[in-house]
Coordinates of all heavy atoms in Angstrom, one line a residue:
V1395 N 37.1 19.7 85.4 CA 37.2 19.8 83.9 C 35.9 19.3 83.4 O 35.4 18.2 83.7 CB 38.3 18.9 83.4 CG1 38.4 19.1 81.9 CG2 39.7 19.4 84.0
I1396 N 35.2 20.1 82.5 CA 33.9 19.8 82.0 C 34.1 19.5 80.5 O 34.7 20.3 79.8 CB 32.9 20.9 82.2 CG1 32.8 21.2 83.8 CG2 31.6 20.6 81.7 CD1 32.0 22.4 84.2
L1397 N 33.4 18.5 80.0 CA 33.5 18.1 78.6 C 32.0 18.1 78.1 O 31.1 17.5 78.7 CB 34.0 16.7 78.4 CG 35.3 16.3 79.2 CD1 35.6 14.8 79.1 CD2 36.4 17.1 78.6
F1398 N 31.9 18.8 76.9 CA 30.5 18.8 76.3 C 30.5 18.0 75.0 O 29.5 17.6 74.6 CB 30.1 20.3 76.0 CG 29.8 21.0 77.3 CD1 30.6 22.0 77.8 CD2 28.6 20.8 77.9 CE1 30.3 22.7 79.0 CE2 28.2 21.5 79.1 CZ 29.1 22.4 79.6
S1399 N 31.7 17.9 74.3 CA 31.7 17.2 73.1 C 31.5 15.7 73.3 O 32.1 15.0 74.0 CB 33.1 17.4 72.4 OG 33.4 16.4 71.5
P1400 N 30.5 15.1 72.5 CA 30.2 13.7 72.6 C 31.4 12.8 72.4 O 31.7 11.8 73.0 CB 29.1 13.4 71.6 CG 28.4 14.8 71.4 CD 29.5 15.8 71.6
A1401 N 32.3 13.2 71.4 CA 33.5 12.5 71.1 C 34.5 12.5 72.3 O 35.1 11.5 72.6 CB 34.1 13.0 69.8
L1402 N 34.6 13.7 72.9 CA 35.5 13.8 74.0 C 35.0 13.0 75.2 O 35.8 12.4 76.0 CB 35.7 15.2 74.5 CG 36.7 16.1 73.8 CD1 36.8 17.5 74.4 CD2 38.1 15.4 73.9
I1403 N 33.7 13.0 75.4 CA 33.1 12.3 76.5 C 33.4 10.8 76.4 O 33.8 10.1 77.3 CB 31.6 12.5 76.6 CG1 31.3 14.0 77.1 CG2 30.9 11.6 77.6 CD1 29.9 14.4 76.9
E1404 N 33.2 10.2 75.2 CA 33.5 8.8 74.9 C 35.0 8.5 75.1 O 35.3 7.5 75.7 CB 33.0 8.4 73.5 CG 31.5 8.3 73.4 CD 30.9 7.3 74.4 OE1 31.4 6.2 74.5 OE2 29.9 7.7 75.0
E1405 N 35.8 9.4 74.7 CA 37.3 9.2 74.9 C 37.6 9.2 76.3 O 38.4 8.4 76.8 CB 38.0 10.3 74.1 CG 39.5 10.2 74.2 CD 40.2 11.3 73.4 OE1 39.6 11.9 72.5 OE2 41.3 11.6 73.8
A1406 N 37.1 10.1 77.1 CA 37.4 10.3 78.5 C 36.9 9.1 79.3 O 37.5 8.8 80.4 CB 36.8 11.6 79.1
K1407 N 35.9 8.4 78.9 CA 35.4 7.2 79.6 C 36.4 6.1 79.7 O 36.4 5.3 80.6 CB 34.1 6.7 79.0 CG 32.9 7.5 79.2 CD 31.7 6.8 78.5 CE 30.5 7.6 78.4 NZ 29.4 6.9 77.7
A1408 N 37.4 6.1 78.7 CA 38.4 5.1 78.6 C 39.5 5.3 79.6 O 40.2 4.3 80.0 CB 38.9 5.0 77.2
Y1409 N 39.7 6.5 80.1 CA 40.8 6.8 81.1 C 40.4 6.3 82.5 O 39.3 6.5 83.0 CB 41.1 8.2 81.1 CG 41.6 8.8 79.8 CD1 40.9 9.8 79.2 CD2 42.7 8.2 79.2 CE1 41.4 10.3 78.0 CE2 43.1 8.7 77.9 CZ 42.5 9.8 77.3 OH 42.9 10.3 76.1
E1410 N 41.4 5.6 83.1 CA 41.2 5.1 84.5 C 41.7 6.1 85.5 O 42.6 6.9 85.2 CB 41.9 3.7 84.6 CG 41.3 2.7 83.7 CD 42.0 1.3 83.9 OE1 42.9 1.2 84.7 OE2 41.6 0.4 83.1
K1411 N 41.2 5.9 86.7 CA 41.7 6.7 87.8 C 43.2 6.6 87.9 O 43.8 5.5 87.8 CB 41.1 6.3 89.1 CG 41.5 7.0 90.3 CD 40.8 6.5 91.6 CE 41.4 7.2 92.8 NZ 40.8 6.7 94.0
G1412 N 43.9 7.7 88.1 CA 45.4 7.7 88.1 C 46.1 8.0 86.8 O 47.3 8.3 86.8
A1413 N 45.3 8.0 85.7 CA 45.9 8.3 84.4 C 46.4 9.7 84.4 O 45.8 10.7 84.9 CB 44.9 8.1 83.3
R1414 N 47.6 9.9 83.7 CA 48.1 11.3 83.6 C 47.6 11.9 82.3 O 47.9 11.3 81.2 CB 49.7 11.2 83.6 CG 50.3 12.6 83.7 CD 51.8 12.4 84.1 NE 52.4 13.7 84.3 CZ 53.2 14.3 83.4 NH1 53.5 13.8 82.3 NH2 53.6 15.5 83.7
L1415 N 46.9 13.0 82.4 CA 46.2 13.6 81.2 C 46.7 15.0 81.0 O 47.1 15.7 81.9 CB 44.7 13.6 81.5 CG 44.0 12.3 81.7 CD1 42.5 12.5 81.9 CD2 44.2 11.3 80.5
E1416 N 46.6 15.3 79.7 CA 46.9 16.7 79.3 C 45.5 17.3 78.8 O 44.9 16.7 77.9 CB 47.9 16.8 78.2 CG 48.1 18.2 77.7 CD 49.2 18.3 76.6 OE1 50.2 17.6 76.7 OE2 48.9 19.0 75.6
I1417 N 45.1 18.4 79.4 CA 43.8 19.0 79.1 C 44.1 20.4 78.4 O 44.9 21.2 78.9 CB 43.0 19.3 80.3 CG1 42.9 18.0 81.2 CG2 41.7 19.9 80.0 CD1 42.0 17.0 80.6
N1418 N 43.4 20.6 77.3 CA 43.5 22.0 76.7 C 42.0 22.5 76.7 O 41.1 21.7 76.3 CB 44.0 21.9 75.2 CG 45.4 21.6 75.2 OD1 45.9 20.5 75.7 ND2 46.2 22.4 74.5
G1419 N 41.8 23.7 77.1 CA 40.5 24.2 77.2 C 40.5 25.7 77.5 O 41.5 26.4 77.3
S1420 N 39.4 26.2 78.1 CA 39.3 27.6 78.5 C 38.8 27.6 79.9 O 38.0 26.7 80.4 CB 38.4 28.3 77.6 OG 37.1 27.8 77.5
L1421 N 39.2 28.6 80.6 CA 38.8 28.8 82.0 C 37.4 29.5 82.1 O 37.1 30.4 81.3 CB 39.8 29.8 82.7 CG 39.8 29.8 84.2 CD1 40.0 28.5 84.8 CD2 40.9 30.7 84.7
N1422 N 36.5 28.9 83.0 CA 35.2 29.4 83.1 C 34.8 29.6 84.6 O 35.3 28.8 85.4 CB 34.2 28.3 82.5 CG 32.8 28.8 82.4 OD1 32.5 29.9 81.9 ND2 31.9 28.0 83.0
Y1423 N 34.1 30.6 84.9 CA 33.7 30.8 86.3 C 32.1 30.7 86.4 O 31.4 31.1 85.5 CB 34.1 32.2 86.7 CG 35.6 32.4 86.8 CD1 36.3 32.9 85.8 CD2 36.3 31.9 88.0 CE1 37.7 33.0 85.9 CE2 37.6 32.0 88.1 CZ 38.4 32.6 87.0 OH 39.7 32.7 87.2
R1424 N 31.7 30.2 87.5 CA 30.3 30.1 87.8 C 30.0 30.6 89.2 O 30.6 30.2 90.2 CB 29.9 28.6 87.7 CG 28.4 28.3 88.0 CD 28.1 26.9 87.9 NE 28.6 26.1 89.0 CZ 27.9 25.9 90.1 NH1 26.7 26.4 90.3 NH2 28.4 25.2 91.1
D1425 N 29.0 31.5 89.3 CA 28.6 32.0 90.6 C 27.5 31.2 91.1 O 26.6 30.7 90.3 CB 28.1 33.5 90.5 CG 29.2 34.5 90.2 OD1 30.4 34.2 90.5 OD2 28.9 35.5 89.6
F1426 N 27.5 30.9 92.4 CA 26.4 30.2 93.0 C 26.2 30.7 94.5 O 27.0 31.4 95.0 CB 26.6 28.7 93.0 CG 27.9 28.3 93.8 CD1 27.8 27.8 95.1 CD2 29.1 28.4 93.2 CE1 28.9 27.4 95.8 CE2 30.2 28.0 93.9 CZ 30.2 27.5 95.2
K1427 N 25.0 30.5 95.0 CA 24.6 31.0 96.3 C 24.7 29.9 97.3 O 24.3 28.8 97.0 CB 23.2 31.7 96.3 CG 23.2 32.8 95.3 CD 22.2 33.8 95.7 CE 22.0 34.9 94.7 NZ 23.1 35.9 94.6
V1428 N 25.2 30.2 98.5 CA 25.2 29.3 99.6 C 24.6 30.0 100.9 O 24.7 31.2 101.0 CB 26.6 28.8 100.0 CG1 27.1 27.9 98.8 CG2 27.6 29.9 100.3

Side-chain angles (χ1 to χ4, degrees):
V1395 179
I1396 302 171
L1397 311 171
F1398 289 105
S1399 161
L1402 273 183
I1403 292 170
E1404 286 305 311
E1405 183 181 334
K1407 287 181 189 177
Y1409 297 123
E1410 294 180 1
K1411 179 180 175 181
R1414 188 164 188 258
L1415 301 178
E1416 179 180 315
I1417 307 290
N1418 292 55
S1420 58
L1421 195 57
N1422 186 52
Y1423 292 96
R1424 178 180 76 87
D1425 291 336
F1426 61 98
K1427 302 211 183 282
V1428 293

